Amino acid sequence: MHNGTVTDADLRTAQDAGLAPDLLVEIIAHVALNVFTTYVATAGRVAIDWPLVRHNE
C-alpha cells in the first residue's frame, strides 16, 4: 500500500494508457468521495440495511 501516494511511474502508466489529466482528477475525486462516505458511515454507526450475501462453494 502506498497510503494514497501516486508514483511518477503510476502517472506515466495512466497517461500512456490514454487517461487525460481531467479524467485522472475525476478518478481521484471518486476515490476521495468513497473514502469520505465510508468515514461518515463508520462514525455515524450506520446500520447495514441490505441482506447478508453468503457464497456457497
Side-chain angles (χ1 to χ4, degrees):
M1 291 200 101
H2 298 285
N3 295 323
T5 59
V6 179
T7 65
D8 291 340
D10 291 335
L11 283 176
R12 258 191 314 279
T13 299
Q15 291 166 341
D16 290 347
L19 296 177
D22 58 332
L23 186 56
L24 291 172
V25 169
E26 187 174 344
I27 291 167
I28 292 167
H30 279 283
V31 171
L33 179 59
N34 284 325
V35 170
F36 177 74
T37 301
T38 300
Y39 286 172
V40 170
T42 300
R45 312 293 194 269
V46 175
I48 297 174
D49 61 352
W50 58 84
L52 178 63
V53 176
R54 297 192 189 277
H55 297 280
N56 298 324
E57 295 182 25

